[in-house]
Amino acid sequence: MNNTNSAPNKRDVKLTVAACYFGSFTQAAVANLPPLFYVLFNERLGMPLELIALFPTVFFGIQILIDALFSKIVFKIGYRLTAIFSDVISAVGLIVLGLSPFFSNPVATIFISGVLCAIGSGIIEITTSPLIEALPGDGKSSAMSFLHSFYCWGYLFVVLFTTGFFALFGKDYWFALCFIFAVIPVSGGILYSLIGKLTTLEENGCSSKFADFGKNSLFLILFLIMICAGAGEQVVAQWASYFAEKGLNVSKTVGDLLGASAFALCMALSRTFFGFICKKTGIKNALIVSVCALIVSYLVTALSPIPAISLVGIAACGLSVGILWPATLSLAGESRLNGGTLMFALLALAGDIGCTVGPSVSGEISAATNINVGILSGVVFPVVALILLIVHGKISAKKSQNSTPLSE
């Protein structure tokens, strides 16, 4: 894949990287700030629990639609305007959320903010990864891993900052946090506007048809791996706190600190660390080690009779699942699929499908049995991913002497 702009200067490269990293930080804010307000939505704004449970489904559902529909619009209006628009609409979504208590129908306003934030987050997903892949040099895998690590670090920052804010000012002013976090996407939009020449993937010769990707076995395998990556990550991310409290019978404070927070921290460390070592280990080798470690981590988490070991297992899940999403995107970039922006949009779509399906399936199984069995069911995703990686390796070996265009 070539770049549309040859030899970009270092300033533009640094600004592009910074803008993309701010994009991941924005995704963390819009996706993880509202859940911290769920109790407040229920107790102070009268939002029924049924509607609260529907909120994340609407959020990820809209994001999936954006992944599928917005990829072609990027070509028409350009990356810069698209990226700036994603930051602007994310900021507007957060501001609307902050204003929701002052509207006559705060519940409807909250859902409107969720839709706006989901649109912004979805567009960020389909723009940042291709922009990082288009950067000059051999450090694309490192940059991709760092890009997605910023989501994890952003999630931790959102939780810690919100906790500190509540401790200092109380929960009555929760809406002010929305205005504070809106500064993040605004900053990202400003960075995009300062870039002189935005380096993008060369789309000439790249497929612009969804059907073309369905004919390529390597892409289909990567698509399925991305589903497994999203599902394997979110099963633990969404259910860790509940599992710690109800399945392990530890206090909520301990469960959140040593469960969900430890998971997010370890996932962030994993992605950051991989950014430094990926050149030495190789992407595919790292993926295989990661899914194998995730299988073991799931088993330890769900089956250990000792709560402390299960909590360690939750953290280990974060450490092992961390690189699956960014490393799979990097593998796609190195697989000579010649897919361009649409390829990354479809892979983002697959990841979001996994983020939606994984926790839902685990939740249904938990409801029918118990939370331990629900967590254990998540092991199927890394197992399937391991099989797919083995198949991908065999197919790649057969096509190693060919360019492997999508038309094959």
Side-chain angles (χ1 to χ4, degrees):
M1 295 184 184
N2 300 322
N3 299 327
T4 56
N5 299 314
S6 59
N9 61 56
K10 292 182 178 180
R11 175 182 177 274
D12 288 340
V13 170
K14 290 180 179 179
L15 284 174
T16 300
V17 171
C20 290
Y21 288 179
F22 263 89
S24 285
F25 213 118
T26 296
Q27 284 186 294
V30 299
N32 297 295
L33 185 61
L36 298 177
F37 301 150
Y38 282 170
V39 174
L40 296 172
F41 291 165
N42 177 247
E43 296 179 350
R44 305 193 180 190
L45 300 182
M47 187 173 182
L49 291 177
E50 294 80 5
L51 289 180
I52 291 176
L54 182 62
F55 185 87
T57 303
V58 171
F59 182 89
F60 283 112
I62 294 295
Q63 189 161 307
I64 288 173
L65 289 176
I66 293 300
D67 291 340
L69 300 177
F70 215 86
S71 55
K72 291 187 177 182
I73 299 178
V74 177
F75 305 144
K76 297 181 180 180
I77 65 178
Y79 269 91
R80 188 194 303 274
L81 289 180
T82 302
I84 292 175
F85 173 74
S86 70
D87 284 323
V88 169
I89 198 168
S90 295
V92 172
L94 288 171
I95 292 172
V96 170
L97 179 61
L99 294 174
S100 60
F102 306 101
F103 282 84
S104 58
N105 192 339
V107 174
T109 308
I110 289 171
F111 272 91
I112 291 173
S113 74
V115 170
L116 294 173
C117 287
I119 293 173
S121 180
I123 299 174
I124 289 171
E125 187 66 53
I126 65 175
T127 53
T128 54
S129 293
L131 286 174
I132 291 297
E133 182 65 24
L135 293 176
D138 300 324
K140 302 179 193 294
S141 298
S142 297
M144 189 74 75
S145 188
F146 290 142
L147 170 69
H148 290 274
S149 75
F150 264 73
Y151 177 90
C152 305
W153 293 119
Y155 170 71
L156 281 175
F157 179 82
V158 169
V159 173
L160 295 176
F161 187 89
T162 301
T163 301
F165 182 92
F166 285 161
L168 290 174
F169 304 104
K171 296 181 179 180
D172 290 338
Y173 300 100
W174 65 268
F175 55 87
L177 283 166
C178 304
F179 306 134
I180 294 173
F181 281 111
V183 174
I184 298 172
V186 170
S187 300
I190 293 174
L191 286 173
Y192 276 116
S193 68
L194 295 176
I195 300 172
K197 291 184 179 180
L198 191 63
T199 305
T200 62
L201 289 177
E202 175 62 65
E203 299 296 337
N204 294 332
C206 294
S207 174
S208 61
K209 298 180 180 180
F210 292 99
D212 290 342
F213 290 91
K215 301 175 184 178
N216 185 271
S217 57
L218 285 178
F219 175 79
L220 290 176
I221 291 172
L222 290 171
F223 188 89
L224 294 174
I225 293 175
M226 280 296 293
I227 292 178
C228 293
E233 174 185 319
Q234 289 300 313
V235 165
V236 181
Q238 294 294 320
W239 290 106
S241 180
Y242 186 91
F243 170 72
E245 187 173 359
K246 300 297 183 179
L248 303 180
N249 295 316
V250 300
S251 69
K252 180 171 178 56
T253 300
V254 173
D256 287 346
L257 182 61
L258 300 181
S261 296
F263 172 84
L265 174 61
C266 287
M267 189 163 66
L269 291 172
S270 172
R271 290 180 175 180
T272 303
F273 182 65
F274 177 71
F276 290 107
I277 68 167
C278 59
K279 291 183 179 180
K280 298 179 180 179
T281 60
I283 296 175
K284 191 170 294 184
N285 290 336
L287 279 169
I288 291 176
V289 172
S290 180
V291 294
C292 289
L294 185 58
I295 292 171
V296 174
S297 299
Y298 261 108
L299 295 175
V300 170
T301 300
L303 300 179
S304 174
I306 303 174
I309 295 179
S310 290
L311 289 173
V312 172
I314 291 175
C317 284
L319 197 64
S320 52
V321 78
I323 72 165
L324 290 189
W325 188 301
T328 302
L329 292 177
S330 294
L331 184 61
E334 292 188 355
S335 294
R336 298 181 181 179
L337 290 171
N338 199 29
T341 303
L342 182 57
M343 178 185 72
F344 284 99
L346 290 174
L347 291 176
L349 168 65
D352 286 334
I353 290 174
C355 289
T356 306
V357 172
S360 298
V361 171
S362 180
E364 291 296 328
I365 293 176
S366 297
T369 55
N370 58 63
I371 185 61
N372 295 69
V373 177
I375 292 292
L376 181 61
S377 68
V379 76
V380 68
F381 298 112
V383 169
V384 172
L386 178 60
I387 296 172
L388 291 170
L389 283 168
I390 294 173
V391 175
H392 182 277
K394 292 182 177 181
I395 295 177
S396 297
K398 292 181 180 180
K399 295 184 177 183
S400 60
Q401 296 181 349
N402 301 320
S403 61
T404 319
L406 282 168
S407 59
E408 286 188 359

Coordinates of all heavy atoms in Angstrom, one line a residue, residues 45-96:
L45 N -32.6 10.8 37.7 CA -33.3 11.2 36.5 C -34.5 10.3 36.2 O -35.2 10.5 35.2 CB -32.3 11.3 35.3 CG -31.1 12.2 35.4 CD1 -30.3 12.2 34.2 CD2 -31.6 13.6 35.7
G46 N -34.7 9.3 37.0 CA -35.8 8.4 36.8 C -35.7 7.5 35.6 O -36.7 7.1 35.0
M47 N -34.5 7.2 35.1 CA -34.3 6.3 34.0 C -34.5 4.9 34.4 O -33.7 4.4 35.2 CB -32.9 6.5 33.3 CG -32.7 5.8 32.0 SD -31.1 6.4 31.3 CE -31.1 5.4 29.8
P48 N -35.5 4.1 33.9 CA -35.7 2.7 34.3 C -34.5 1.9 33.9 O -33.7 2.1 33.0 CB -36.9 2.3 33.4 CG -37.6 3.6 33.0 CD -36.4 4.6 32.9
L49 N -34.3 0.8 34.7 CA -33.2 -0.1 34.5 C -33.2 -0.8 33.1 O -32.2 -1.1 32.5 CB -33.1 -1.2 35.6 CG -32.8 -0.7 37.0 CD1 -32.9 -1.8 38.0 CD2 -31.4 0.0 37.0
E50 N -34.5 -1.0 32.6 CA -34.6 -1.6 31.3 C -34.0 -0.7 30.2 O -33.4 -1.2 29.3 CB -36.1 -1.9 31.0 CG -36.8 -2.9 31.9 CD -37.2 -2.4 33.3 OE1 -37.0 -1.1 33.5 OE2 -37.6 -3.1 34.1
L51 N -34.2 0.6 30.4 CA -33.7 1.5 29.4 C -32.2 1.7 29.5 O -31.4 1.8 28.6 CB -34.3 2.9 29.5 CG -35.8 2.9 29.0 CD1 -36.4 4.3 29.1 CD2 -35.9 2.5 27.5
I52 N -31.7 1.6 30.8 CA -30.3 1.7 31.0 C -29.6 0.5 30.4 O -28.5 0.6 29.8 CB -30.0 1.7 32.5 CG1 -30.4 3.0 33.1 CG2 -28.5 1.5 32.8 CD1 -30.3 3.1 34.6
A53 N -30.2 -0.7 30.5 CA -29.6 -1.9 29.9 C -29.6 -1.8 28.4 O -28.8 -2.4 27.7 CB -30.4 -3.1 30.3
L54 N -30.6 -1.0 27.8 CA -30.7 -0.8 26.4 C -29.6 0.1 25.8 O -29.2 0.1 24.6 CB -32.1 -0.3 26.0 CG -32.4 -0.1 24.5 CD1 -32.3 -1.5 23.8 CD2 -33.8 0.5 24.4
F55 N -29.1 1.0 26.7 CA -28.2 2.1 26.2 C -26.9 1.5 25.5 O -26.6 2.0 24.4 CB -27.8 3.0 27.4 CG -27.0 4.2 27.0 CD1 -27.6 5.3 26.6 CD2 -25.6 4.1 27.1 CE1 -26.8 6.4 26.3 CE2 -24.8 5.2 26.7 CZ -25.4 6.4 26.3
P56 N -26.2 0.6 26.2 CA -25.0 0.1 25.5 C -25.3 -0.6 24.2 O -24.5 -0.6 23.2 CB -24.3 -0.8 26.5 CG -25.4 -1.2 27.5 CD -26.3 0.0 27.5
T57 N -26.5 -1.3 24.1 CA -26.9 -2.0 22.9 C -27.1 -1.0 21.8 O -26.6 -1.2 20.6 CB -28.2 -2.8 23.1 OG1 -28.0 -3.7 24.2 CG2 -28.6 -3.5 21.8
V58 N -27.7 0.1 22.1 CA -27.9 1.2 21.1 C -26.6 1.8 20.7 O -26.3 2.0 19.5 CB -28.9 2.3 21.7 CG1 -28.9 3.5 20.7 CG2 -30.3 1.8 21.9
F59 N -25.7 2.0 21.7 CA -24.4 2.6 21.4 C -23.6 1.8 20.4 O -23.2 2.3 19.3 CB -23.7 2.8 22.7 CG -22.3 3.5 22.5 CD1 -22.2 4.9 22.5 CD2 -21.2 2.8 22.3 CE1 -21.0 5.5 22.4 CE2 -19.9 3.4 22.1 CZ -19.8 4.8 22.1
F60 N -23.4 0.5 20.7 CA -22.6 -0.4 19.9 C -23.4 -0.7 18.6 O -22.7 -0.9 17.5 CB -22.3 -1.7 20.6 CG -21.2 -1.5 21.6 CD1 -21.4 -1.6 23.0 CD2 -19.9 -1.2 21.2 CE1 -20.4 -1.5 23.9 CE2 -18.9 -1.1 22.1 CZ -19.1 -1.2 23.5
G61 N -24.7 -0.7 18.6 CA -25.4 -1.0 17.4 C -25.2 0.2 16.4 O -25.0 -0.1 15.2
I62 N -25.3 1.4 16.8 CA -25.1 2.6 16.0 C -23.7 2.5 15.5 O -23.4 2.8 14.3 CB -25.4 3.9 16.7 CG1 -26.8 4.0 17.1 CG2 -24.9 5.1 15.9 CD1 -27.8 4.1 15.9
Q63 N -22.7 2.2 16.3 CA -21.3 2.2 15.9 C -21.1 1.1 14.8 O -20.3 1.4 13.9 CB -20.4 1.9 17.1 CG -18.9 2.0 16.8 CD -18.1 2.2 18.1 OE1 -18.4 3.1 18.9 NE2 -17.1 1.4 18.3
I64 N -21.8 0.0 14.9 CA -21.7 -1.0 13.9 C -22.2 -0.5 12.5 O -21.6 -0.7 11.5 CB -22.4 -2.3 14.3 CG1 -21.7 -3.0 15.4 CG2 -22.6 -3.3 13.1 CD1 -22.4 -4.2 16.0
L65 N -23.3 0.2 12.6 CA -23.9 0.8 11.3 C -22.9 1.8 10.7 O -22.8 1.8 9.5 CB -25.2 1.4 11.6 CG -26.4 0.5 12.0 CD1 -27.6 1.3 12.3 CD2 -26.7 -0.4 10.8
I66 N -22.3 2.6 11.6 CA -21.4 3.6 11.1 C -20.2 2.9 10.4 O -19.7 3.3 9.4 CB -20.9 4.5 12.2 CG1 -22.1 5.4 12.7 CG2 -19.7 5.4 11.8 CD1 -22.6 6.3 11.7
D67 N -19.7 1.8 11.0 CA -18.5 1.1 10.5 C -18.9 0.6 9.1 O -18.1 0.6 8.2 CB -18.2 -0.1 11.4 CG -17.6 0.3 12.7 OD1 -17.1 1.4 12.8 OD2 -17.6 -0.5 13.6
A68 N -20.1 0.2 8.9 CA -20.5 -0.4 7.6 C -20.9 0.6 6.6 O -20.6 0.4 5.4 CB -21.8 -1.3 7.8
L69 N -21.4 1.7 7.0 CA -22.0 2.7 6.0 C -21.1 3.9 5.7 O -21.1 4.5 4.6 CB -23.3 3.2 6.5 CG -24.4 2.2 6.7 CD1 -25.7 2.8 7.3 CD2 -24.8 1.4 5.4
F70 N -20.2 4.3 6.7 CA -19.5 5.5 6.6 C -18.2 5.4 5.8 O -17.5 6.4 5.4 CB -19.2 6.1 7.9 CG -19.3 7.6 7.9 CD1 -20.5 8.3 8.1 CD2 -18.1 8.4 7.8 CE1 -20.5 9.7 8.1 CE2 -18.2 9.8 7.8 CZ -19.4 10.4 7.9
S71 N -17.7 4.1 5.6 CA -16.4 3.9 5.0 C -16.3 4.6 3.6 O -15.2 5.1 3.3 CB -16.1 2.4 4.9 OG -17.1 1.7 4.2
K72 N -17.4 4.5 2.8 CA -17.3 5.0 1.5 C -17.4 6.6 1.5 O -16.9 7.2 0.6 CB -18.4 4.4 0.6 CG -18.2 3.0 0.3 CD -19.2 2.4 -0.7 CE -18.9 1.0 -1.0 NZ -19.8 0.4 -2.1
I73 N -18.1 7.1 2.5 CA -18.2 8.6 2.6 C -16.8 9.2 2.8 O -16.6 10.4 2.4 CB -19.2 8.9 3.7 CG1 -20.5 8.3 3.4 CG2 -19.3 10.4 3.9 CD1 -21.6 8.6 4.5
V74 N -15.9 8.5 3.5 CA -14.6 9.0 3.7 C -13.9 9.4 2.4 O -13.2 10.4 2.3 CB -13.7 8.0 4.5 CG1 -12.3 8.5 4.7 CG2 -14.4 7.6 5.8
F75 N -14.1 8.6 1.4 CA -13.5 8.8 0.1 C -14.0 10.2 -0.5 O -13.2 10.9 -1.2 CB -13.8 7.7 -0.9 CG -13.4 6.3 -0.4 CD1 -14.2 5.2 -0.7 CD2 -12.3 6.2 0.4 CE1 -13.8 4.0 -0.2 CE2 -11.9 4.9 0.9 CZ -12.7 3.8 0.6
K76 N -15.3 10.5 -0.3 CA -15.9 11.6 -0.9 C -15.5 12.9 -0.3 O -15.3 13.9 -1.0 CB -17.4 11.4 -1.0 CG -17.8 10.2 -1.8 CD -19.4 10.1 -1.9 CE -19.8 8.9 -2.7 NZ -21.3 8.8 -2.7
I77 N -15.5 13.0 1.0 CA -15.3 14.2 1.7 C -13.8 14.4 2.3 O -13.4 15.4 2.7 CB -16.3 14.4 2.9 CG1 -16.1 13.4 4.0 CG2 -17.7 14.4 2.4 CD1 -17.0 13.6 5.1
G78 N -13.1 13.3 2.2 CA -11.7 13.3 2.6 C -11.5 13.0 4.1 O -12.4 13.2 4.9
Y79 N -10.3 12.5 4.4 CA -9.9 12.1 5.8 C -10.0 13.3 6.8 O -10.5 13.1 7.9 CB -8.6 11.5 5.8 CG -8.6 10.0 5.6 CD1 -8.5 9.4 4.3 CD2 -8.7 9.1 6.7 CE1 -8.5 8.1 4.1 CE2 -8.7 7.7 6.5 CZ -8.6 7.2 5.2 OH -8.6 5.9 5.0
R80 N -9.4 14.4 6.4 CA -9.3 15.5 7.3 C -10.7 15.9 7.8 O -11.0 16.0 9.0 CB -8.6 16.7 6.7 CG -8.3 17.8 7.7 CD -7.9 19.1 7.0 NE -6.8 18.9 6.2 CZ -5.5 18.9 6.5 NH1 -5.2 19.2 7.8 NH2 -4.5 18.7 5.7
L81 N -11.6 16.2 6.9 CA -13.0 16.7 7.3 C -13.7 15.6 8.0 O -14.5 15.9 9.0 CB -13.7 17.1 6.0 CG -13.3 18.4 5.3 CD1 -14.1 18.7 4.1 CD2 -13.4 19.6 6.3
T82 N -13.5 14.3 7.6 CA -14.2 13.2 8.3 C -13.7 13.1 9.7 O -14.5 12.9 10.6 CB -13.9 11.9 7.5 OG1 -14.3 12.0 6.2 CG2 -14.6 10.8 8.2
A83 N -12.4 13.2 9.9 CA -11.9 13.1 11.2 C -12.3 14.2 12.1 O -12.6 14.1 13.3 CB -10.3 13.0 11.2
I84 N -12.3 15.5 11.6 CA -12.7 16.6 12.3 C -14.2 16.5 12.7 O -14.6 16.8 13.8 CB -12.4 17.9 11.6 CG1 -10.9 18.2 11.4 CG2 -13.1 19.1 12.2 CD1 -10.6 19.4 10.6
F85 N -15.0 16.0 11.8 CA -16.4 15.8 12.0 C -16.6 14.8 13.2 O -17.5 15.0 14.0 CB -17.1 15.3 10.8 CG -18.5 14.9 11.0 CD1 -19.5 15.9 11.2 CD2 -18.9 13.6 11.0 CE1 -20.8 15.5 11.4 CE2 -20.2 13.2 11.2 CZ -21.2 14.2 11.4
S86 N -15.8 13.7 13.2 CA -16.0 12.7 14.2 C -15.7 13.3 15.6 O -16.4 13.0 16.6 CB -15.0 11.5 14.0 OG -13.7 11.9 14.2
D87 N -14.7 14.2 15.7 CA -14.3 14.9 16.9 C -15.4 15.9 17.3 O -15.8 15.9 18.5 CB -13.0 15.6 16.8 CG -11.8 14.6 16.9 OD1 -11.9 13.6 17.6 OD2 -10.8 14.8 16.2
V88 N -15.9 16.6 16.4 CA -17.0 17.6 16.7 C -18.2 16.9 17.2 O -18.8 17.3 18.2 CB -17.3 18.4 15.4 CG1 -18.5 19.3 15.6 CG2 -16.1 19.3 15.1
I89 N -18.7 15.9 16.5 CA -19.9 15.2 16.9 C -19.8 14.5 18.2 O -20.7 14.4 19.0 CB -20.4 14.3 15.8 CG1 -21.9 14.0 16.0 CG2 -19.7 13.0 15.7 CD1 -22.6 13.3 14.8
S90 N -18.6 14.0 18.5 CA -18.3 13.4 19.8 C -18.4 14.4 20.9 O -19.0 14.2 22.0 CB -16.9 12.7 19.8 OG -16.8 11.7 18.9
A91 N -17.8 15.6 20.7 CA -17.9 16.7 21.6 C -19.3 17.1 21.9 O -19.7 17.3 23.0 CB -17.0 17.9 21.2
V92 N -20.1 17.2 20.8 CA -21.5 17.6 20.9 C -22.3 16.6 21.7 O -23.1 16.9 22.5 CB -22.1 17.8 19.5 CG1 -23.6 18.0 19.6 CG2 -21.5 19.0 18.8
G93 N -22.0 15.3 21.5 CA -22.6 14.2 22.2 C -22.4 14.3 23.7 O -23.3 14.2 24.5
L94 N -21.1 14.6 24.1 CA -20.8 14.8 25.5 C -21.5 16.0 26.1 O -22.0 16.0 27.2 CB -19.3 14.9 25.7 CG -18.5 13.6 25.4 CD1 -17.0 13.8 25.4 CD2 -18.8 12.5 26.5
I95 N -21.5 17.1 25.3 CA -22.2 18.3 25.8 C -23.7 18.1 26.0 O -24.3 18.5 27.0 CB -21.9 19.5 24.9 CG1 -20.4 19.9 24.9 CG2 -22.8 20.7 25.2 CD1 -20.0 20.9 23.8
V96 N -24.3 17.4 25.1 CA -25.7 17.1 25.2 C -26.0 16.2 26.4 O -26.9 16.4 27.2 CB -26.2 16.3 23.9 CG1 -27.6 15.8 24.1 CG2 -26.2 17.3 22.7

